[in-house]
Amino acid sequence: VDSPLRAFENELGVQPPVGFWDPAGFTAEGNQYDFYRRRCIELKHGRVSMLACTGYIVQEFVRFPGFLSPSSSIKFADIPNGLAAVEKVPAVGWFQYTVFC
């Protein structure tokens, strides 16, 4: 039985016993350009997520010197990582971040 999905059986990453696996059916029509585009986008998203993870890990070990808010005597070293930082950063700081970024 000829199927458009058989066009991708020899691509890099296809492994037995599953073969070419596309549960969402994105390549059901067998378009080679769409397959190549999605593969490139997948690589780009993977690289961006690796950079994001690296940035999250670096925050554990590297802190800016000085004050986040000199008027409130809050140093950068006093701000925890992750979601706990939401409570520690003053509301004016979040407002400035929203307006200027």
Side-chain angles (χ1 to χ4, degrees), residues 5 18 41 43 58 74 81 85 87 92 94 96:
L5 295 180
V18 178
I41 291 171
L43 286 172
V58 166
I74 300 174
N81 291 331
E87 298 174 349
V92 175
W94 287 116
Q96 289 175 350

Side-chain angles (χ1 to χ4, degrees), residues 11-15 19 39:
E11 292 293 332
L12 183 66
V14 176
Q15 297 180 359
R39 182 161 278 193

Side-chain angles (χ1 to χ4, degrees), residues 17-91:
V18 178
F20 180 71
W21 191 61
D22 182 23
F26 288 130
T27 57
E29 69 275 349
N31 188 333
Q32 190 72 27
Y33 173 76
D34 286 344
F35 177 80
Y36 176 74
R37 181 180 162 274
R38 286 188 180 102
R39 182 161 278 193
C40 291
I41 291 171
E42 181 179 10
L43 286 172
K44 181 179 87 170
H45 288 166
R47 290 173 181 157
V48 168
S49 66
M50 285 187 279
L51 282 173
C53 288
T54 302
Y56 198 78
I57 292 168
V58 166
Q59 292 176 23
E60 284 289 328
F61 304 106
V62 178
R63 299 290 178 152
F64 288 123
F67 286 90
L68 172 71
S69 175
S71 61
S72 300
S73 298
I74 300 174
K75 294 182 178 182
F76 284 109
D78 299 335
I79 304 298
N81 291 331
L83 294 175
V86 174
E87 298 174 349
K88 301 292 182 182
V89 175

